[in-house]
Amino acid sequence: MTKAVGTRSSHHAMNMLSNKRGDMFDIVVIGGGPAGLTASLYAARAGKSVMLLEANAFGGQIATAPRVENYPSVKEIAGAELADKMFEQATAHGVEFDMGTAKIQKTASGFAVTTEYGSYDCLSVVISTGVSHKKLGLDSEERLAGNGVCYCAVCDGAFYKDKPVCVVGDGNSAAQFALYLAEVCSEVHLLTMFDRLFCDNELTERIVANDKINWVQNVTVTDILGENKVDGVVFRDNDGAITYQDTDAVFVAIGQVPHNGDFANLVQLDDKGYIVAGEDCLTSCDGIFVAGDCRTKKVRQCTTAVGDGAVAGFSAAMYVDRLKNVK
């Protein structure tokens, strides 16, 4: 379904460019995940002209989730269906859209946002480019993604209630995943490359004390087993010994990568590449707002992305109103 959205947007964009290239939009939103879709919706409902740009497929990471069960008022929904509903709601309110990887330039009248396919002048920008999960680099990881290979314990842990799972990683996220899953699953095998965790001491102490967590140190995952779903994992220790571990899921927690490098000349980034902003979604550049996983924050969930989108979209609309009133 998400691929259909991307295809539909590509065809629509080609027809639209002849009419819209060179026009001034009130707001350009960069990134079509839950944060960007919500920002676009709120800005459009505030009466603003909005261009939404997406480099891949609308819906972001949520579109790849087989099931979403933690979105308020929705008991269960496929991630692709949720993404489509968000997309259709935004476009029904007049949000226009195009594909492409965006870059921003400051201009005398506001901003120019350019992609491989077009250029869009605007008064304000919302950046909602999200993040990518770092991956193990295994063919089996790609093949079983969404069928036992997971990247979010909070999102997917409940699907493996009373079942054995593995967590791969040695940082704060991996430690938190292991502790969270130990409350839900029958057992948790925490696989780390070293003999220590690079996390808060308190988390390490809690993991060591938890009888449901089996901490396996100094190993590297070499394969994930299963045809249509995960049923095991293979790892190698420093001496070369190979171990096969039965498991119903592998939670990969080796980090995330934001996609903000192209905006570093305009907005402040932290040492990990996230755009520095608080709950107000204000960046260091007047007129540019940020929403979702690509900003500095502690909780990265679909619901927090939607919350950011509402704040950023509304704030961008108010910013545009102030500019127009001054003029």
Side-chain angles (χ1 to χ4, degrees):
M1 294 175 69
T2 304
K3 290 183 179 179
V5 170
T7 302
R8 184 167 66 240
S9 63
S10 301
H11 291 311
H12 180 89
M14 294 301 102
N15 294 329
M16 184 182 66
L17 285 177
S18 60
N19 297 324
K20 291 301 181 183
R21 182 179 280 128
D23 287 0
M24 171 70 79
F25 285 88
D26 290 325
I27 300 167
V28 169
V29 178
I30 304 173
L37 288 165
T38 305
S40 300
L41 174 65
Y42 269 70
R45 284 178 58 85
K48 303 299 174 279
S49 58
V50 182
M51 169 60 71
L52 174 63
L53 302 175
E54 169 56 44
N56 297 302
F58 289 94
Q61 291 183 27
I62 199 66
T64 65
R67 288 182 292 173
V68 177
E69 294 184 331
N70 58 355
Y71 196 84
S73 81
V74 181
K75 184 176 180 180
E76 178 181 325
I77 189 171
E81 183 181 357
L82 179 61
D84 276 353
K85 288 179 179 292
M86 290 182 175
F87 178 84
E88 290 165 3
Q89 185 178 20
T91 55
H93 281 83
V95 173
E96 303 198 51
F97 55 92
D98 195 7
M99 307 299 289
T101 301
K103 296 183 179 181
I104 308 170
Q105 289 182 314
K106 191 78 175 70
T107 66
S109 57
F111 303 94
V113 181
T114 59
T115 72
E116 308 94 306
Y117 312 113
S119 180
Y120 307 93
D121 295 321
C122 61
L123 298 175
S124 181
V125 177
V126 176
I127 301 173
S128 54
T129 48
V131 296
S132 295
H133 294 289
K134 290 183 180 178
K135 298 185 178 181
L136 300 171
L138 304 172
D139 291 341
S140 53
E141 176 187 16
E142 295 292 336
R143 179 171 55 81
L144 293 168
N147 292 294
V149 173
C150 309
Y151 299 91
C152 177
V154 176
C155 308
D156 300 327
F159 300 139
Y160 302 97
K161 180 177 175 60
D162 299 327
K163 296 179 179 179
V165 301
C166 287
V167 175
V168 183
D170 51 23
N172 263 300
S173 294
Q176 291 167 346
F177 277 22
L179 289 166
Y180 178 86
L181 291 167
E183 298 294 322
V184 179
C185 304
S186 60
E187 59 187 49
V188 178
H189 302 279
L190 175 59
L191 311 179
T192 65
M193 290 186 65
F194 304 98
D195 59 0
R196 59 163 294 187
L197 286 166
F198 299 90
C199 64
D200 301 336
N201 288 336
E202 180 184 347
L203 292 179
T204 300
E205 292 170 359
R206 289 171 58 193
I207 284 171
V208 172
N210 195 310
D211 293 336
K212 293 179 69 176
I213 299 177
N214 173 34
W215 181 7
V216 185
Q217 303 172 0
N218 299 311
V219 297
T220 301
V221 174
T222 59
D223 201 4
I224 300 172
L225 305 177
E227 290 298 322
N228 299 315
K229 64 182 182 64
V230 169
D231 57 32
V233 66
V234 183
F235 53 86
R236 181 182 63 242
D237 67 20
N238 289 345
D239 295 325
I242 300 294
T243 300
Y244 296 82
Q245 176 65 57
D246 292 338
T247 185
D248 280 41
V250 176
F251 287 82
V252 180
I254 57 176
Q256 295 177 317
V257 181
H259 306 289
N260 298 322
D262 288 337
F263 315 127
N265 62 321
L266 286 174
V267 298
Q268 181 186 355
L269 307 183
D270 71 3
D271 58 353
K272 295 181 180 179
Y274 292 94
I275 297 174
V276 176
E279 297 300 321
D280 57 10
C281 297
L282 300 176
T283 73
S284 58
C285 180
D286 196 34
I288 299 181
F289 303 85
V290 61
D293 290 357
C294 63
R295 79 167 176 89
T296 50
K297 59 192 303 183
K298 291 185 177 180
V299 179
R300 292 183 169 88
Q301 292 285 292
C302 181
T303 48
T304 62
V306 167
D308 279 0
V311 172
F314 183 79
S315 298
M318 296 304 98
Y319 174 83
V320 170
D321 283 343
R322 290 194 299 272
L323 284 184
K324 291 182 176 181
N325 286 336
V326 168
K327 293 178 181 179

